[in-house]
Amino acid sequence: LRDVVWETRTINKKLHITPIHPNITSVLIVSKPGDEEVEEKVREVIDWLLSLENIVIFIQKSMESVFPKHERIQYWTTLLCTKHSQLFDLVLTLGGDGTVLYTSRLFQRTVPPIMPFAMGTLGFLTHFDINNYKSTIQEICKEMYIHLRTRFECRVMKKKDRTKFINLDNHLSQSLCESDTDTHEFTDSLVVLNEVVIDRGPNTAMSDLMLYVDSKYLTTVKADGLCVSTPTGSTAYSLAAGGSLCHPDISVMIVSPICAHSLSLRPIHVPDSMALHVVVPQDASQSSWISFDGRNRTELLQGDYLTVRISRYPFPTVHSSEEDADWFESIKRTLMWNQN
Amino acid sequence: LRDVVWETRTINKKLHITPIHPNITSVLIVSKPGDEEVEEKVREVIDWLLSLENIVIFIQKSMESVFPKHERIQYWTTLLCTKHSQLFDLVLTLGGDGTVLYTSRLFQRTVPPIMPFAMGTLGFLTHFDINNYKSTIQEICKEMYIHLRTRFECRVMKKKDRTKFINLDNHLSQSLCESDTDTHEFTDSLVVLNEVVIDRGPNTAMSDLMLYVDSKYLTTVKADGLCVSTPTGSTAYSLAAGGSLCHPDISVMIVSPICAHSLSLRPIHVPDSMALHVVVPQDASQSSWISFDGRNRTELLQGDYLTVRISRYPFPTVHSSEEDADWFESIKRTLMWNQN
Amino acid sequence: LRDVVWETRTINKKLHITPIHPNITSVLIVSKPGDEEVEEKVREVIDWLLSLENIVIFIQKSMESVFPKHERIQYWTTLLCTKHSQLFDLVLTLGGDGTVLYTSRLFQRTVPPIMPFAMGTLGFLTHFDINNYKSTIQEICKEMYIHLRTRFECRVMKKKDRTKFINLDNHLSQSLCESDTDTHEFTDSLVVLNEVVIDRGPNTAMSDLMLYVDSKYLTTVKADGLCVSTPTGSTAYSLAAGGSLCHPDISVMIVSPICAHSLSLRPIHVPDSMALHVVVPQDASQSSWISFDGRNRTELLQGDYLTVRISRYPFPTVHSSEEDADWFESIKRTLMWNQN
Amino acid sequence: LRDVVWETRTINKKLHITPIHPNITSVLIVSKPGDEEVEEKVREVIDWLLSLENIVIFIQKSMESVFPKHERIQYWTTLLCTKHSQLFDLVLTLGGDGTVLYTSRLFQRTVPPIMPFAMGTLGFLTHFDINNYKSTIQEICKEMYIHLRTRFECRVMKKKDRTKFINLDNHLSQSLCESDTDTHEFTDSLVVLNEVVIDRGPNTAMSDLMLYVDSKYLTTVKADGLCVSTPTGSTAYSLAAGGSLCHPDISVMIVSPICAHSLSLRPIHVPDSMALHVVVPQDASQSSWISFDGRNRTELLQGDYLTVRISRYPFPTVHSSEEDADWFESIKRTLMWNQN
């Protein structure tokens, strides 16, 4: 028994240390819109990529007018990214962490390798310096290391008949919420890279949120809200809510109450093989609001719930070497440790 | 020099230990509306008070139909409370801490002595057990101790011309925001007993809030929001936001960031002789929202600001003895210390 | 690539849901010493076990005089536990969480299945009620579920020549501290179930501790100390130090600074496939002190270090059913959630 | 009633804004010992001070050999500082915050005005830059502002007969611990500027500490220890223990548990007009240890206690202007707010 556990631990470790030698012929570019400086840089990168033979460049359809025309320039749309992600060998993002989160939203299913460039100071997700783009892209085209970052799939389930009281304990343990049920309609599914937050939104009173783990009732959280974060998101909102820093190789969902009324309610780390349900009680005095990676505000009414599970589609970031992928370096740099 | 400081410290201490022998002839009753059980109890209290000679009872105008009629029963309205608070010798509140906060809102200026009864378990503010109302009211009518709880006055200042950029550093140090200025309109003033909160409201992104102390710029808080709490409020929302427990005799404003982005930003205790300004930056990407004691949501647009200062009208709560007024007993009881 | 990760995740999940049908013929008993009530209960359990056929009972050699003699009663010593742990089919512990930690210390290598009974209220580790010992032991003898709890192996490395300054960055990356090196002597190895703590001990000033992850320098922690906790220990000292609650199936080392001087230093969750080194700087103004599961105080002088790695010998606890093993139930019960 | 409170608040505010025009004829110098760079600077300051007419300089007796001899150079000893503090018109400290704390220890009763110079980066207590010493000392000699910082007096009371069990609740409410009592011997009294800490010292187990406020039992703290901090100390160890930042004009004792076992135990702010007792329970399994401003380790055995009260002898620091005394500037600078 013991040996099985021991061995399964070692597989993950090997993943990051095997280099891949890609054949890159198509590059998609995502950039922060409406920023002169970024657009200027994108133009420069496009020019340089066109000078390399055989590479097709995909730029955003809506920015067609901003960038030059060329036979090897094509245009991407949200639909294309969702349906035909295999078209792209590499994605360059130019901006900040927000641009990387936008790219994650773009690819709800399979994600091509992502190479994130920081326009200003390097962030948690943007570890490539745009000033060295030529040398780093050339390196990557020869040999890249892939780091798979866990994403969570979030499903919003809306109660069909609001006048009817449902036994949710039964409901959640039976349906496992795969899709529409007798009582609830599956309205929306979104994948997050950092976190999904359920909070009181415009309400002034604290929210009551019922929390279920693997369909079993855990507790009712009286708080401003609840943050369910990936390890990648542990350096973002989760940290502000009092969560711990969490290495992205750890298989975990970080569930942090936001300003909990009860002092005994602390951040809980749940194995990411489990499913979470967050339910707005049917007799709650107010609704709650979800946001996905800080976007797409959605209202949860009484009896509605959110399901959070690990996504089958992780987010592959590209690194030039093992060291380059080092999470510890990114927190040292960004939290400004060892600077005094 | 040293002796002056030393002596001024001792005055406060004496305040709570001098009993008052009131002559109570008029009692105002505030009760949680729409709760059958509370209404039943109020009826019982009214009957008993009428059995005492010479006492006039004021009940809420809007609940005229709920309670019996009697020549010694009169009706109060919000206007009457605001303008003629001297009419009332004693206020009984029946409900929870929320009912006490409602009563504080009712008396924006001078507040009559407040005797707060808990309908269920005793709270931080409701230290009288409704089951013993006869004996405790009789005791109080003979001899009462008054505890003055600090309240804060909050003023909302709206920018007049949103197209114009103003030098706020100059503005705040000159005007001290007493009333209308060239650039800002004084729209609203509210007194709080627990706390005033400025937060992102329905927005998903963190707020940027500029914080000034005595008209000097302190820092820009990047957070879900900012809670400015009285010592009385230190056991309420402020505690959930990470603040400390604070004895109500301490002259302090507790300024707590809510889920601050920066880890070096911690709750700050400011002398309550100082004035705070919280400004929504003129170039902020979104507005912020205020709530006063968990109510009266108000939007602050770019360039608007909130002023918080100690109110000249504290909130006098009534106690049957020195011990009864003991704040430490209330936190021991409510936080369930020493129970294991 | 993606599928590999996905599949390895599922193995762990299956481990706890496969019942084992043991053949139990020898039972070792560990009990809290010097407690009349516990000894009385142990006597009762021994009598009952002897009434079952074929079971040999091992009790502590030093308590030989306390308990009755019988041909099927034998005596265990620390040496026997270390060398011949395979002699025991089941270990009963009677006491509190401290007795379970003592048992972990007893079996530094392979650990027999542990069945922990609480003498008083159930704890995080003691989930069996002693009042039902007959029925629960009988159940377990028919069918048991095993939960493997991660332990960490801690090695103390003492600098040989204190007058010589060593380049530790080189040293740690080369030697990986398997055993004695040119510069350091391997003095001690201990396995912990909850946590290992390095702190300032009797010193009044904060400690400086250099932290290395996988032989790479992370940061120098200026703090009262550093707590390296297993997930099992996340409900113990680590929680008091500000750490998160962590499900025991998560493969993690929780590294929490204790009262860190720097506000940007927060608990860090490191994959338990990595090795930690905590070094007392060679120019530190004071020594530091280690404790293992709250025992065995050991001094670390300047230039000494501690290595922490996952142990190959986890701690198997016995459960009567899948539900019984539920960690969430234990935190709900012990932190008294949902009780108001 | 209300007006009395209102007016007493305003006195404190005026204290810092009245300049003093001193006549400085004797200057005492305290410097960090054993630091070449500091000694060099002290020599320079002495030379310059001697060039001014009529100023007598006191330097530390034990450093007689380090500094030059001169008819206007005299030597101070600890005894002289304790008994004849009125001899000194001004104290210059050269070093860090530790040197200022040392100076506070030196003057257990009346303290002369303190002018703290930072040798390196400015600290919370050291707000004068040594590089500008000439101009700042000249300014101060013409006009100085005094800021009185609260200090606490700590008394250690040792149980006389350890075999006898005492009713401490009675004892504390009767004696108020002024001096020796029937049961306890007054052994030691020390004044602190930052904090007094009672902790487990070399013990590995948590301490149990009984906390009394104004001779009334509050709670028993199960924790690594307890920190009782002045507002001045709120930026030191208290902050690391989770306390809030506290403006020095607030009349408060900050009582912070260190790594408390119970999550409902949070920092408590107590009016500094109250007295605290921290008692080691008579049946405690281990002793506790005190440290005063991070020094003077003293053991508290079972039944011993510590009394903490505001000292009649505050610590006057010197400032060149109102702005210079601004606490907010010191936290902005030292916590590095607004730097990104």
Side-chain angles (χ1 to χ4, degrees):
Chain A
L1 202 60
R2 187 187 324 131
D3 296 326
V4 181
V5 174
W6 186 253
E7 282 162 29
T8 64
R9 291 272 166 78
T10 60
I11 298 183
N12 256 327
K13 216 173 170 176
K14 282 177 197 156
L15 265 171
H16 307 314
I17 55 177
T18 318
I20 291 169
H21 303 281
N23 178 21
I24 289 173
T25 59
S26 73
V27 172
L28 183 145
I29 297 179
V30 182
S31 60
K32 199 182 163 191
D35 182 321
E36 280 284 333
E37 196 196 346
V38 176
E39 283 171 7
E40 187 55 49
K41 207 73 193 178
V42 172
R43 240 174 253 120
E44 193 185 322
V45 173
I46 289 174
D47 283 350
W48 179 77
L49 283 173
L50 289 174
S51 75
L52 306 178
E53 266 172 57
N54 295 327
I55 287 188
V56 175
I57 304 170
F58 286 83
I59 60 174
Q60 189 159 5
K61 178 72 181 163
S62 62
M63 294 171 94
E64 194 172 345
S65 60
V66 179
F67 300 119
K69 295 199 184 309
H70 189 281
E71 54 175 5
R72 281 195 278 124
I73 291 187
Q74 300 190 15
Y75 301 98
W76 60 261
T77 60
T78 306
L79 193 69
L80 192 73
C81 292
T82 309
K83 299 263 176 178
H84 303 288
S85 62
Q86 78 288 354
L87 284 176
F88 317 114
D89 297 328
L90 185 67
V91 176
L92 309 182
T93 76
L94 284 84
D97 284 4
T99 310
V100 182
L101 294 175
Y102 174 82
T103 310
S104 166
R105 219 160 14 241
L106 212 52
F107 295 98
Q108 288 286 318
R109 301 183 67 103
T110 308
V111 188
I114 306 288
M115 189 175 184
F117 284 99
M119 286 302 297
T121 50
L122 304 189
F124 286 110
L125 293 170
T126 52
H127 59 285
F128 287 111
D129 187 340
I130 190 64
N131 297 315
N132 313 325
Y133 73 91
K134 288 183 198 173
S135 57
T136 41
I137 292 176
Q138 276 168 333
E139 273 181 69
I140 287 299
C141 288
K142 281 185 214 134
E143 182 177 282
M144 62 163 76
Y145 291 77
I146 292 285
H147 191 158
L148 292 180
R149 289 177 177 268
T150 303
R151 298 198 297 176
F152 294 158
E153 187 200 339
C154 308
R155 284 162 179 253
V156 179
M157 301 293 285
K158 293 285 207 175
K159 194 176 166 187
K160 283 176 182 164
D161 180 354
R162 302 215 169 265
T163 61
K164 220 171 115 185
F165 191 89
I166 302 157
N167 185 326
L168 273 167
D169 286 48
N170 280 352
H171 171 75
L172 293 180
S173 58
Q174 282 162 19
S175 71
L176 264 165
C177 323
E178 288 301 340
S179 58
D180 279 22
T181 65
D182 279 4
T183 57
H184 284 79
E185 195 181 353
F186 165 43
T187 60
D188 219 352
S189 163
L190 265 171
V191 164
V192 294
L193 177 59
N194 266 351
E195 78 281 301
V196 58
V197 172
I198 310 97
D199 64 23
R200 57 190 169 90
N203 298 307
T204 56
M206 284 192 171
S207 285
D208 282 312
L209 294 168
M210 299 167 78
L211 179 61
Y212 290 77
V213 181
D214 266 0
S215 306
K216 285 178 65 180
Y217 175 70
L218 181 57
T219 190
T220 298
V221 178
K222 194 176 189 64
D224 274 7
L226 204 59
C227 170
V228 183
S229 167
T230 65
T232 295
S234 74
T235 49
Y237 187 74
S238 175
L239 187 63
S244 302
L245 299 165
C246 201
H247 191 284
D249 288 355
I250 300 172
S251 303
V252 69
M253 289 180 159
I254 308 169
V255 184
S256 300
I258 304 165
C259 295
H261 177 73
S262 164
L263 300 178
S264 69
L265 208 61
R266 291 274 289 264
I268 311 164
H269 288 229
V270 175
D272 64 7
S273 53
M274 295 183 173
L276 287 187
H277 295 106
V278 184
V279 183
V280 178
Q282 296 174 78
D283 58 352
S285 59
Q286 61 187 32
S287 64
S288 284
W289 292 78
I290 316 181
S291 55
F292 306 87
D293 280 342
R295 292 291 178 89
N296 299 71
R297 266 297 202 209
T298 306
E299 191 172 12
L300 273 193
L301 295 177
Q302 286 82 345
D304 296 348
Y305 61 88
L306 172 76
T307 307
V308 188
R309 274 186 301 189
I310 193 169
S311 164
R312 285 180 176 271
Y313 306 102
F315 191 78
T317 51
V318 157
H319 302 269
S320 58
S321 65
E322 286 176 60
E323 288 69 39
D324 175 64
D326 192 346
W327 178 77
F328 294 106
E329 290 305 317
S330 80
I331 59 166
K332 276 158 73 169
R333 186 183 63 226
T334 318
L335 296 178
M336 290 185 289
W337 289 355
N338 314 331
Q339 297 198 355
N340 205 341
Chain B
L1 202 62
R2 187 190 320 131
D3 297 324
V4 182
V5 175
W6 186 255
E7 281 161 30
T8 63
R9 292 269 165 81
T10 62
I11 299 183
N12 255 327
K13 215 174 173 178
K14 282 176 195 158
L15 266 171
H16 308 315
I17 56 176
T18 316
I20 291 170
H21 304 282
N23 178 23
I24 289 173
T25 59
S26 73
V27 172
L28 183 145
I29 298 179
V30 182
S31 60
K32 199 182 161 189
D35 181 321
E36 280 284 333
E37 196 196 345
V38 176
E39 284 172 6
E40 188 55 52
K41 207 70 193 180
V42 172
R43 245 174 249 119
E44 195 185 318
V45 172
I46 290 174
D47 283 349
W48 179 77
L49 283 173
L50 289 174
S51 74
L52 306 178
E53 269 172 54
N54 296 328
I55 287 188
V56 175
I57 304 170
F58 286 81
I59 60 174
Q60 189 160 4
K61 180 70 182 166
S62 62
M63 294 172 95
E64 194 172 346
S65 60
V66 179
F67 299 119
K69 291 197 186 310
H70 189 281
E71 52 174 5
R72 282 196 278 122
I73 293 187
Q74 300 190 15
Y75 302 98
W76 61 262
T77 58
T78 306
L79 193 69
L80 193 73
C81 291
T82 308
K83 298 263 177 179
H84 303 287
S85 61
Q86 78 288 355
L87 285 176
F88 318 114
D89 297 327
L90 186 68
V91 176
L92 308 183
T93 76
L94 283 84
D97 283 5
T99 310
V100 181
L101 293 175
Y102 174 81
T103 310
S104 166
R105 217 159 17 239
L106 212 53
F107 295 97
Q108 288 286 318
R109 301 184 66 105
T110 307
V111 188
I114 305 288
M115 189 175 182
F117 285 100
M119 285 305 295
T121 49
L122 304 189
F124 286 110
L125 292 171
T126 54
H127 59 284
F128 288 111
D129 187 340
I130 190 66
N131 297 314
N132 312 325
Y133 72 91
K134 286 182 199 176
S135 57
T136 41
I137 292 178
Q138 277 169 334
E139 271 180 71
I140 288 298
C141 288
K142 281 187 214 133
E143 185 177 281
M144 60 162 77
Y145 292 77
I146 292 284
H147 191 158
L148 292 180
R149 287 174 178 272
T150 301
R151 300 198 295 177
F152 293 158
E153 188 199 337
C154 308
R155 284 162 179 253
V156 178
M157 303 293 287
K158 294 285 206 175
K159 193 175 168 187
K160 283 176 183 168
D161 180 353
R162 303 215 169 268
T163 58
K164 220 170 114 186
F165 191 87
I166 302 158
N167 184 327
L168 273 166
D169 286 48
N170 279 353
H171 172 75
L172 293 179
S173 59
Q174 284 163 17
S175 72
L176 263 164
C177 322
E178 288 302 339
S179 58
D180 279 22
T181 65
D182 279 5
T183 57
H184 284 79
E185 194 181 354
F186 166 43
T187 60
D188 218 351
S189 161
L190 264 173
V191 163
V192 294
L193 176 59
N194 266 353
E195 79 282 301
V196 58
V197 171
I198 310 95
D199 64 22
R200 57 189 169 91
N203 299 307
T204 55
M206 285 195 173
S207 285
D208 281 312
L209 295 168
M210 298 167 79
L211 179 61
Y212 288 78
V213 181
D214 267 1
S215 305
K216 284 176 66 181
Y217 174 70
L218 182 58
T219 190
T220 297
V221 179
K222 195 178 189 63
D224 275 7
L226 203 59
C227 170
V228 182
S229 167
T230 66
T232 295
S234 73
T235 51
Y237 186 74
S238 175
L239 188 63
S244 302
L245 298 165
C246 201
H247 191 284
D249 288 355
I250 300 171
S251 303
V252 70
M253 290 178 157
I254 309 167
V255 184
S256 300
I258 305 165
C259 296
H261 177 72
S262 164
L263 300 178
S264 70
L265 208 58
R266 290 276 287 264
I268 312 164
H269 288 230
V270 175
D272 64 8
S273 53
M274 293 181 173
L276 289 187
H277 295 105
V278 184
V279 183
V280 178
Q282 297 174 80
D283 58 353
S285 59
Q286 60 188 32
S287 65
S288 285
W289 293 78
I290 316 181
S291 55
F292 306 87
D293 280 342
R295 292 291 177 87
N296 300 71
R297 264 297 200 212
T298 304
E299 191 172 12
L300 274 193
L301 295 177
Q302 286 81 343
D304 297 348
Y305 60 89
L306 173 76
T307 307
V308 188
R309 273 186 302 188
I310 194 169
S311 165
R312 287 181 174 268
Y313 307 102
F315 192 77
T317 51
V318 157
H319 302 269
S320 58
S321 66
E322 286 175 60
E323 287 69 38
D324 176 65
D326 192 348
W327 177 76
F328 294 105
E329 290 305 317
S330 80
I331 59 167
K332 277 157 74 170
R333 186 183 65 227
T334 318
L335 295 178
M336 293 185 289
W337 289 355
N338 314 330
Q339 296 196 357
N340 206 341
Chain C
L1 202 62
R2 187 187 322 130
D3 296 325
V4 181
V5 176
W6 186 253
E7 280 162 30
T8 63
R9 292 269 166 81
T10 61
I11 299 183
N12 254 328
K13 215 173 171 175
K14 281 176 198 158
L15 265 171
H16 306 315
I17 56 177
T18 318
I20 291 168
H21 303 280
N23 178 23
I24 289 172
T25 59
S26 74
V27 172
L28 182 145
I29 297 180
V30 182
S31 60
K32 199 184 162 187
D35 181 322
E36 280 284 332
E37 197 196 346
V38 176
E39 284 171 6
E40 188 55 50
K41 208 71 195 181
V42 172
R43 244 174 250 117
E44 195 186 318
V45 172
I46 289 173
D47 284 349
W48 179 77
L49 284 173
L50 289 174
S51 75
L52 306 179
E53 270 173 53
N54 296 328
I55 287 188
V56 175
I57 304 171
F58 287 82
I59 61 174
Q60 189 158 5
K61 179 71 181 163
S62 62
M63 294 171 95
E64 194 171 346
S65 59
V66 179
F67 300 118
K69 294 200 183 308
H70 189 282
E71 53 174 6
R72 282 196 277 124
I73 293 187
Q74 300 191 18
Y75 302 98
W76 61 261
T77 59
T78 305
L79 194 69
L80 194 73
C81 292
T82 307
K83 298 263 176 178
H84 303 287
S85 62
Q86 77 288 356
L87 284 176
F88 318 113
D89 297 328
L90 186 68
V91 176
L92 308 183
T93 77
L94 284 83
D97 284 4
T99 309
V100 182
L101 294 175
Y102 174 81
T103 310
S104 166
R105 216 156 21 237
L106 213 51
F107 295 98
Q108 289 285 319
R109 300 184 66 101
T110 308
V111 189
I114 305 288
M115 188 175 184
F117 285 100
M119 284 304 295
T121 49
L122 305 188
F124 285 110
L125 292 171
T126 53
H127 59 285
F128 287 112
D129 187 341
I130 190 64
N131 297 314
N132 312 326
Y133 73 91
K134 287 183 199 174
S135 56
T136 41
I137 293 177
Q138 278 170 333
E139 273 181 69
I140 288 300
C141 288
K142 281 188 214 132
E143 183 177 283
M144 62 162 77
Y145 291 77
I146 292 284
H147 190 159
L148 291 179
R149 286 175 180 272
T150 301
R151 299 199 296 176
F152 294 157
E153 188 200 337
C154 309
R155 285 162 178 253
V156 179
M157 301 294 285
K158 294 284 206 176
K159 194 176 166 186
K160 283 175 183 166
D161 180 354
R162 301 213 171 268
T163 60
K164 219 171 114 187
F165 191 88
I166 302 157
N167 184 326
L168 274 166
D169 286 49
N170 279 353
H171 172 76
L172 293 179
S173 59
Q174 282 162 21
S175 72
L176 263 166
C177 321
E178 288 302 339
S179 59
D180 278 22
T181 65
D182 279 4
T183 57
H184 285 79
E185 193 182 353
F186 165 44
T187 60
D188 218 351
S189 162
L190 266 171
V191 163
V192 295
L193 177 58
N194 266 352
E195 77 280 301
V196 59
V197 171
I198 310 97
D199 63 24
R200 57 189 170 92
N203 298 307
T204 56
M206 285 193 170
S207 286
D208 281 312
L209 294 168
M210 297 168 79
L211 179 61
Y212 289 79
V213 181
D214 266 1
S215 305
K216 284 176 68 181
Y217 175 69
L218 182 57
T219 190
T220 297
V221 178
K222 194 178 190 60
D224 274 6
L226 204 59
C227 170
V228 182
S229 167
T230 66
T232 295
S234 73
T235 51
Y237 187 74
S238 175
L239 188 62
S244 301
L245 298 165
C246 199
H247 191 284
D249 288 356
I250 301 172
S251 303
V252 70
M253 289 179 158
I254 308 168
V255 184
S256 300
I258 303 165
C259 295
H261 176 72
S262 163
L263 300 178
S264 70
L265 208 59
R266 291 275 288 264
I268 312 164
H269 288 231
V270 175
D272 63 9
S273 54
M274 294 181 173
L276 289 187
H277 294 106
V278 184
V279 183
V280 178
Q282 296 175 80
D283 58 353
S285 58
Q286 60 186 31
S287 66
S288 286
W289 293 79
I290 316 182
S291 56
F292 306 87
D293 280 341
R295 293 290 179 88
N296 300 70
R297 262 299 199 212
T298 304
E299 191 173 11
L300 275 193
L301 295 177
Q302 285 82 344
D304 297 348
Y305 59 88
L306 173 76
T307 307
V308 189
R309 272 186 302 189
I310 194 168
S311 165
R312 288 183 172 268
Y313 308 101
F315 191 77
T317 51
V318 156
H319 302 269
S320 58
S321 65
E322 286 176 60
E323 287 71 35
D324 175 64
D326 192 347
W327 177 77
F328 294 106
E329 290 305 316
S330 80
I331 58 164
K332 277 157 74 170
R333 186 183 64 227
T334 317
L335 295 178
M336 292 185 289
W337 289 355
N338 314 330
Q339 296 196 359
N340 205 342
Chain D
L1 203 60
R2 186 190 321 132
D3 296 326
V4 181
V5 175
W6 186 253
E7 280 162 29
T8 64
R9 293 269 167 80
T10 60
I11 298 183
N12 255 326
K13 216 174 173 176
K14 282 175 196 160
L15 268 170
H16 306 315
I17 56 177
T18 317
I20 290 170
H21 303 282
N23 178 23
I24 289 173
T25 60
S26 72
V27 171
L28 183 145
I29 297 180
V30 182
S31 61
K32 200 183 164 189
D35 182 321
E36 280 285 333
E37 196 195 346
V38 176
E39 284 170 7
E40 188 55 51
K41 207 71 194 180
V42 172
R43 243 174 251 121
E44 193 186 321
V45 172
I46 289 173
D47 283 348
W48 179 77
L49 284 173
L50 289 174
S51 76
L52 306 179
E53 269 173 54
N54 295 326
I55 288 188
V56 175
I57 304 171
F58 287 82
I59 61 174
Q60 191 159 4
K61 179 72 180 162
S62 62
M63 296 172 93
E64 196 173 343
S65 60
V66 179
F67 300 118
K69 292 197 187 310
H70 190 280
E71 52 174 7
R72 281 195 278 123
I73 292 187
Q74 301 191 16
Y75 301 99
W76 60 262
T77 60
T78 307
L79 193 69
L80 193 73
C81 292
T82 307
K83 299 263 177 178
H84 303 287
S85 62
Q86 77 288 354
L87 285 175
F88 317 113
D89 297 328
L90 185 67
V91 176
L92 308 183
T93 77
L94 284 84
D97 284 4
T99 309
V100 182
L101 294 175
Y102 174 81
T103 310
S104 166
R105 217 158 19 239
L106 212 52
F107 296 97
Q108 288 286 317
R109 300 184 67 102
T110 306
V111 189
I114 305 288
M115 190 174 181
F117 285 99
M119 285 304 295
T121 50
L122 304 189
F124 286 110
L125 293 170
T126 52
H127 59 285
F128 287 111
D129 187 339
I130 191 64
N131 298 314
N132 312 325
Y133 73 91
K134 287 182 199 175
S135 56
T136 42
I137 292 177
Q138 277 169 332
E139 271 180 71
I140 288 298
C141 288
K142 281 187 215 135
E143 183 178 280
M144 61 163 75
Y145 292 76
I146 292 284
H147 191 160
L148 291 180
R149 288 176 178 269
T150 301
R151 299 199 295 177
F152 294 158
E153 188 200 337
C154 308
R155 285 162 178 254
V156 178
M157 302 293 286
K158 293 285 205 175
K159 194 176 167 186
K160 284 176 183 166
D161 181 353
R162 303 217 168 265
T163 61
K164 219 170 114 186
F165 191 88
I166 301 159
N167 184 325
L168 274 167
D169 286 48
N170 280 352
H171 172 75
L172 293 179
S173 59
Q174 282 163 19
S175 72
L176 263 164
C177 321
E178 288 301 339
S179 58
D180 278 24
T181 66
D182 279 5
T183 57
H184 284 78
E185 195 181 352
F186 165 44
T187 60
D188 218 351
S189 162
L190 265 173
V191 164
V192 295
L193 176 58
N194 265 352
E195 78 281 300
V196 58
V197 171
I198 310 98
D199 64 22
R200 58 189 170 90
N203 298 306
T204 55
M206 284 195 173
S207 285
D208 282 311
L209 294 168
M210 298 167 78
L211 179 61
Y212 289 78
V213 181
D214 266 0
S215 305
K216 286 177 66 182
Y217 175 69
L218 182 58
T219 191
T220 298
V221 178
K222 196 179 188 62
D224 274 7
L226 203 59
C227 170
V228 182
S229 167
T230 66
T232 295
S234 73
T235 50
Y237 187 73
S238 175
L239 188 64
S244 302
L245 298 166
C246 200
H247 192 284
D249 288 355
I250 300 172
S251 302
V252 71
M253 289 179 157
I254 308 169
V255 184
S256 300
I258 304 164
C259 296
H261 176 74
S262 163
L263 299 178
S264 70
L265 209 59
R266 292 274 289 262
I268 311 165
H269 288 229
V270 175
D272 64 8
S273 53
M274 295 182 173
L276 288 187
H277 294 105
V278 184
V279 183
V280 177
Q282 296 174 77
D283 58 353
S285 59
Q286 60 186 33
S287 65
S288 285
W289 292 79
I290 316 182
S291 55
F292 306 88
D293 280 342
R295 292 291 178 88
N296 299 73
R297 265 296 203 210
T298 305
E299 191 172 13
L300 274 192
L301 295 176
Q302 287 80 346
D304 296 348
Y305 60 89
L306 173 76
T307 307
V308 188
R309 272 186 303 190
I310 193 170
S311 165
R312 286 182 175 268
Y313 307 102
F315 192 78
T317 50
V318 156
H319 302 268
S320 58
S321 65
E322 286 176 60
E323 287 68 39
D324 175 64
D326 192 348
W327 177 77
F328 294 105
E329 290 304 317
S330 80
I331 59 166
K332 278 157 73 170
R333 184 185 64 227
T334 318
L335 296 177
M336 292 185 289
W337 289 355
N338 315 330
Q339 296 196 357
N340 206 341

